[in-house]
Amino acid sequence: MLRPARIALFTATAVALTGSLAACGAGAGSSVSSSGAFSAANCQGGTLRVLDSAKNDKGFDPAVLYTSGGGAIPRLLFRTLTTRQSVPGANGTKVVPDLATDTGTPSQNATMWTYHLKSGLKFSDGTPITSADVKYGVERSFSPQLAGGPPYLRDWLVGGADYQGPYGTGAKDLASIETPDPSTIVFHLRKSEGDFPYLAAETQFAPVPKAKDTGKDYNADPVSSGPYTIAGFTKGRELDLVRNTHWSRSTDQQRLACPDRIDISLGLSSAVINQRLSASVGQDADAITTDTSLDAPTLAKVSADPALKQRVVTGKFPQIFYLAFDLKKAPFDNQLVREALSYAVDRTALVNAEGGTQLAVPSTTFTPESLTAAHQDYDYFPAGATGNPAKAKQLLAQAGHPNGITVPLAYDTDDVNTGAPAATALQQAFAKAGITLQLQPLSDANFGSTVNTPATQPALTLTSWGADWPSGGPFLTPIFDGRQIVSGGGNFNLAQYDDPAVNAQIDKINQVTDYAVAQKQWAALDAQLGKLALTVPLYEEATSVLYGSHVKNAYLDQWRGWYDIASVSVK
Amino acid sequence: MDSQTTSAGTGIGAGGGAAGVWSRLWARRGGRAAVITVGLLVLVALTAPWLAALEGQNPNSFHDTLLNSATGGSPNGAFGGISAQHWLGVEPTTGRDLFARLVYGSRVSLGVAVGATLGQLLLGLLVGLAAGLGGRWADALLSRVTDLALALPTFFFSIALLAVVPQSFPRPLLLGLILSGLGWASIARIVRAETRVLREREYVAAAVLTGAGTWRIARREILPGLVAPLATYTAIVLPQNMVAEAGLSFLGLGVRPPTSSWGQMLSTATTWFQVDPTYVLIPALTLLVCVLAFAGLGEALRVAFDPKAAAPATRRRGRTIAVPPPAPAQPGPTTGEPAARAAAAAVTTLPHEKGEAQ
């Protein structure tokens, strides 16, 4: 059901902030003296420049966007029932009220969620925001012509599976969303979902005024509920945002909205972005990027320059890069063989292939360390830093393969992370243990359709998984829940693992509405599944991003691992 | 290597015998340098495993300890980690030995270039001979096909084809096939033109009179006459193919990991040019030297096959033996191509004369 994180990375992503980040981000080499620390009360003014590689060809329709926690740019235009907390550090993974007065009141075993809207909320055209607008926004996302958002709503809402959206003659509204009065909205779910407040941070929960809805064309100039509104938009080239005069800080505790204008350049090459940010000349001193991190060579260059180094922030998006076995295919039906591969893996070579310790961190657990609340440390098949080929050989012999094995490894050639460098690193490490990997490169277009369809799935795949929100639920369920095996395509349970006991356990945790308690249980489930060697967790990625020398309060939020634009100042 | 003593007995081509061509080739300093460089490159490609063994490395072993993992995985030490164990340093982020990868890469780069050139020669010969010896219709049809093939944007076509063919197909073979399938047209043109000239010769007419078939005429009478232009042209096309292979590998459409080729090395190296310039310079310079050597060989071959067009400079060890001035070329209004060619030849030889005259 969830998408692998590499898709998420294109829309918007998440991360953790490492180290103590000074609020003021004035670079040492800056010619402009950005004196004084950052002050939220006095940060308004100026024009923030954003240099992005994404083209945003599809525009900004809140029904179509697939974001994590509301995304970067979309969050400037759309307010949602809940949102992520705008603070550096671990608290950035918390969900907080946005349009609503609280994060939701659960009842009936977390199958019914009630929200009340704050008073005084207005769209950019001055009309008040009502619960009917929120309901209409959710309903639109069910329309086939506005497909593209996350699949949870269809799965969770009563009647969601068959609902076709509010368009067309005879179209009805979705009965499982009730709006008893203009400030109250109630969602009826078909199963317990303690994580509902996290889903309510997605752009599908942004209000859309029915009178202004233009269907497919809404993406070019949506009605804003956030602090900015679109002044000019050329798809694939640029997007200019100006203040929404009807938005007020008094109803919004999560967006500082410091700059008066935000000018976004789209479709730039990542090399150009990093070059311009590191030079930080002229207007580029006021620039950040929402989607381009440092690659290994740029990082090597930055590391050697103390002035540049000050303008780099790092963070993590909870995402695991791992080896997926198909348990239905020999030799991986044998746990000894899976364990042998777990022992043979050389995580140091993999981390180096990714660009060194600043860009990747080895992980022996499926739920990575950056998903802090749902992480429990374990290492059942210790490979050490560079692998234990002797132990792997011994296990292979025990499994009846004294002369080693030859297996294919599928990987995505277009994915800079899980592409050829990582596959080659695995190949050379496995060779030492008598495991011959036949590399099977698949282009990005073919990768998803081949790997995520059980009929065509290779026995061994190098892939990654990230969470739509910081919780063990969306992290573990699609990978290990046997009921999530989809035969037609879009299957992420690559192990084809189906244990009724585990499925029941998942249902039980979904009923828990206390975040901390639920996460502890997800962590325990991960540690329990780890013993079966259903995957070989390899490493998690770190993001390092530059910002212009004049930019202040630039930090990576720990939910997505990217700049929180709503907090950045250029004054 | 005395150029005058060997007898020219084979009767091949316009140059007056293979030995004669060879001696004229060797006699020129440029030709000698080109022959030696190309010979060395071929030797390196053939002996790659032994060369790597001599260094004590293999092209696919990772060396974590030679990298600084904290700075993006760049090599430790100056000049990309050059040391007594790693003669040309190691690759960033993997620590694979660059010397071993370079010599192994020469096999792919040279192999694909040679294979593609042979394929182009074969196709070009077949089409050119058929057009040159065939009837009016065959000539017209094949010539138009050749024009069409010439007009194709070869590089973009290669990219499209490489992207479409399944990844399981052996990449070097595929590269060779695509490059030869798309690059035969200019050879076909040359072959056709030469064939049209040769078929008017008396000895060909005589062969026709004796009742020889077309195939036999093509093989026994025409083909020997084509050796000179084809040999020259081959040396010009080969480096082009080498660059094409490098270009396609550069775009990630070439060999599959962990195999190395010079283009693949360049491709991964470019992003590192600011941090680790050695890594970029090694494949770039190798490719440059190689292409220059083949280009030089082509030029030298052209001169060697056609001694009349070149200045009759017979040199040995830098000593000039009788350099008569080139035929005075005074292009008048009626002067055609031969005079122009002579003039060009005169110009190209001028610097040598100057240098040697003192």
Side-chain angles (χ1 to χ4, degrees):
Chain A
M1 299 296 292
L2 298 201
R3 74 251 141 98
R6 62 196 165 78
I7 299 173
L9 284 167
F10 286 108
T11 51
T13 25
V15 186
L17 188 72
T18 65
S20 63
L21 178 73
C24 173
S30 170
S31 56
V32 189
S33 62
S34 358
S35 56
F38 169 78
S39 136
N42 190 25
C43 73
Q44 280 100 333
T47 301
L48 173 69
R49 320 267 161 187
V50 179
L51 311 176
D52 275 1
S53 61
K55 290 190 165 169
N56 288 102
D57 280 332
K58 288 180 183 163
F60 295 90
D61 189 316
V64 181
L65 289 168
Y66 197 148
T67 63
S68 179
I73 297 166
R75 195 160 173 266
L76 302 173
L77 301 172
F78 307 119
R79 294 186 65 183
T80 41
L81 286 180
T82 64
T83 193
R84 57 178 195 265
Q85 188 164 18
S86 287
V87 288
N91 281 339
T93 61
K94 281 197 176 145
V95 67
V96 289
D98 191 357
L99 290 174
T101 53
D102 57 23
T103 57
T105 315
S107 53
Q108 297 170 15
N109 247 349
T111 60
M112 190 175 124
W113 287 84
T114 307
Y115 291 85
H116 302 282
L117 300 190
K118 290 173 184 162
S119 59
L121 299 170
K122 279 179 184 160
F123 282 114
S124 55
D125 60 2
T127 53
I129 295 171
T130 67
S131 56
D133 298 323
V134 177
K135 175 178 158 121
Y136 184 68
V138 174
E139 284 174 347
R140 290 175 83 240
S141 71
F142 283 85
S143 166
Q145 60 169 317
L146 299 178
Y152 306 98
L153 278 167
R154 194 170 281 285
D155 185 34
W156 291 3
L157 281 173
V158 172
D162 306 316
Y163 186 59
Q164 293 298 311
Y167 300 118
T169 47
K172 287 186 289 189
D173 65 340
L174 188 57
S176 53
I177 309 177
E178 288 177 319
T179 51
D181 64 66
S183 68
T184 308
I185 185 163
V186 185
F187 297 88
H188 295 273
L189 311 186
R190 63 176 191 87
K191 55 182 180 176
S192 304
E193 289 295 347
D195 274 353
F196 191 81
Y198 285 83
L199 183 65
E202 306 275 352
T203 55
Q204 281 68 25
F205 288 83
V208 175
K210 194 170 185 175
K212 295 281 177 74
D213 185 15
T214 48
K216 271 186 128 165
D217 301 325
Y218 192 68
N219 62 20
D221 193 14
V223 181
S224 169
S225 51
Y228 295 92
T229 180
I230 294 179
F233 181 25
T234 313
K235 283 176 191 172
R237 291 199 42 218
E238 59 180 358
L239 170 70
D240 295 335
L241 304 180
V242 294
R243 282 195 186 282
N244 167 11
T245 50
H246 292 278
W247 172 87
S248 152
R249 265 195 191 183
S250 62
T251 63
D252 193 338
Q253 282 77 50
Q254 300 308 321
R255 296 168 183 83
L256 295 176
C258 301
D260 287 336
R261 288 180 63 93
I262 300 180
D263 285 359
I264 299 156
S265 304
L266 303 167
L268 302 175
S269 92
S270 52
V272 168
I273 293 172
N274 281 326
Q275 191 60 47
R276 283 175 65 176
L277 287 175
S278 50
S280 198
V281 176
Q283 294 183 336
D284 291 344
D286 292 337
I288 58 167
T289 175
T290 70
D291 64 3
T292 302
S293 57
L294 295 179
D295 53 7
T298 323
L299 185 80
K301 191 182 123 196
V302 167
S303 308
D305 185 340
L308 269 183
K309 222 172 166 176
Q310 286 192 2
R311 292 197 275 120
V312 175
V313 278
T314 52
K316 279 186 206 138
F317 168 62
Q319 179 183 20
I320 186 76
F321 292 82
Y322 70 103
L323 272 179
F325 299 114
D326 182 350
L327 268 56
K328 293 253 155 81
K329 291 195 174 74
F332 301 124
D333 49 349
N334 187 338
Q335 181 165 346
L336 288 173
V337 175
R338 303 200 298 269
E339 287 179 15
L341 265 70
S342 308
Y343 277 108
V345 80
D346 177 352
R347 290 190 176 85
T348 306
L350 282 163
V351 165
N352 282 334
E354 173 86 346
T357 48
Q358 287 196 55
L359 296 180
V361 181
S363 178
T364 59
T365 60
F366 188 78
T367 306
E369 217 179 330
S370 51
L371 196 59
T372 320
H375 172 77
Q376 181 177 325
D377 217 15
Y378 62 81
D379 189 3
Y380 300 120
F381 316 107
T386 56
N388 186 349
K391 177 78 183 168
K393 271 186 181 161
Q394 181 200 327
L395 283 167
L396 279 182
Q398 225 175 308
H401 303 284
N403 300 320
I405 50 171
T406 299
V407 284
L409 171 72
Y411 67 94
D412 185 345
T413 48
D414 302 332
D415 192 316
V416 285
N417 302 314
T418 54
T424 319
L426 281 169
Q427 190 183 43
Q428 66 97 26
F430 281 179
K432 293 178 197 158
I435 302 159
T436 309
L437 282 190
Q438 290 172 327
L439 299 188
Q440 193 184 331
L442 296 168
S443 68
D444 200 45
N446 288 332
F447 186 80
S449 55
T450 308
V451 169
N452 299 328
T453 310
T456 56
Q457 184 195 336
L460 189 64
T461 308
L462 176 59
T463 185
S464 70
W465 188 253
D468 280 318
W469 57 83
S471 163
F475 212 87
L476 297 174
T477 311
I479 310 293
F480 299 114
D481 186 335
R483 295 158 300 180
Q484 303 267 6
I485 301 172
V486 192
S487 58
N491 171 52
F492 295 110
N493 185 341
L494 297 185
Q496 317 260 355
Y497 176 72
D498 188 2
D499 181 348
V502 170
N503 300 347
Q505 230 170 318
I506 289 173
D507 285 347
K508 228 178 104 202
I509 307 175
N510 272 330
Q511 293 176 16
V512 181
T513 53
D514 183 319
Y515 180 73
V517 175
Q519 298 313 312
K520 277 225 158 59
Q521 297 185 12
W522 288 122
L525 177 65
D526 180 41
Q528 166 198 331
L529 289 167
K531 288 179 188 152
L532 302 172
L534 300 172
T535 65
V536 184
L538 301 173
Y539 59 92
E540 59 175 312
E541 217 186 0
T543 318
S544 287
V545 204
L546 271 168
Y547 59 84
S549 57
H550 198 204
V551 172
K552 289 182 189 175
N553 201 33
Y555 62 86
L556 304 186
D557 71 74
Q558 198 159 335
W559 185 310
R560 304 171 312 126
W562 289 102
Y563 288 122
D564 189 359
I565 308 191
S567 304
V568 171
S569 163
V570 290
K571 198 189 166 197
Chain B
M1 278 300 149
D2 197 331
S3 55
Q4 310 301 347
T5 53
T6 346
S7 65
T10 47
I12 289 176
V21 170
W22 172 253
S23 63
R24 276 192 295 277
L25 185 64
W26 190 257
R28 291 170 58 89
R29 194 192 287 163
R32 211 154 48 208
V35 167
I36 290 174
T37 316
V38 168
L40 270 177
L41 286 165
V42 172
L43 193 69
V44 164
L46 290 175
T47 60
W50 292 282
L51 286 174
L54 192 66
E55 192 204 20
Q57 303 295 339
N58 82 66
N60 296 329
S61 283
F62 282 40
H63 301 281
D64 297 334
T65 50
L66 302 176
L67 305 173
N68 184 351
S69 195
T71 59
S74 49
N76 290 325
F79 305 110
I82 287 181
S83 67
Q85 286 79 41
H86 301 278
W87 299 345
L88 295 178
V90 294
E91 188 182 50
T93 77
T94 63
R96 292 186 289 194
D97 183 77
L98 283 181
F99 176 77
R101 291 188 70 70
L102 191 77
V103 295
Y104 270 93
S106 68
R107 302 187 134 191
V108 176
S109 296
L110 277 174
V112 168
V114 168
T117 309
L118 287 180
Q120 287 167 354
L121 272 180
L122 192 70
L123 279 170
L125 255 180
L126 284 177
V127 175
L129 277 174
L133 294 174
R136 203 154 57 91
W137 283 106
D139 183 25
L141 180 72
L142 287 172
S143 295
R144 292 298 82 75
V145 171
T146 310
D147 288 346
L148 193 70
L150 265 180
L152 285 179
T154 317
F155 201 66
F156 295 106
F157 242 75
S158 324
I159 293 174
L161 281 169
L162 281 165
V164 165
V165 176
Q167 290 276 355
S168 50
F169 198 90
R171 296 312 264 186
L173 179 62
L174 180 65
L175 280 167
L177 284 178
I178 287 179
L179 288 178
S180 49
L182 290 171
W184 53 268
S186 41
I187 294 182
R189 266 217 173 154
I190 290 170
V191 170
R192 177 190 167 271
E194 287 288 329
T195 310
R196 305 289 290 188
V197 172
L198 289 173
R199 68 186 267 188
E200 304 304 328
R201 294 278 169 87
E202 288 88 349
Y203 65 89
V204 180
V208 174
L209 280 179
T210 61
T214 311
W215 175 242
R216 188 188 155 82
I217 290 175
R219 205 159 43 90
R220 298 295 294 269
E221 315 295 342
I222 306 283
L223 210 51
L226 292 174
V227 168
L230 283 186
T232 309
Y233 200 70
T234 301
I236 296 169
V237 172
L238 202 116
Q240 289 174 1
N241 283 328
M242 194 173 272
V243 171
E245 185 276 329
L248 292 168
S249 292
F250 182 86
L251 294 173
L253 295 161
V255 289
R256 270 189 287 156
T259 315
S260 63
S261 85
W262 296 344
Q264 175 273 330
M265 291 177 76
L266 260 182
S267 168
T268 45
T270 40
T271 52
W272 287 90
F273 75 99
Q274 284 173 308
V275 186
D276 185 2
T278 323
Y279 182 29
V280 189
L281 285 176
I282 288 166
L285 286 179
T286 313
L287 198 63
L288 180 76
V289 166
C290 200
V291 170
L292 274 182
F294 273 103
L297 184 66
E299 172 64 15
L301 269 176
R302 189 185 67 75
V303 175
F305 272 118
D306 195 2
K308 277 166 283 175
T314 311
R315 295 166 209 277
R316 290 162 65 196
R317 309 214 166 259
R319 198 155 50 81
T320 312
I321 304 172
V323 185
Q330 295 187 334
T334 53
T335 316
E337 204 200 336
R341 201 198 284 179
V347 170
T348 53
T349 51
L350 213 59
H352 297 284
E353 287 173 6
K354 263 191 199 161
E356 302 295 324
Q358 297 159 1

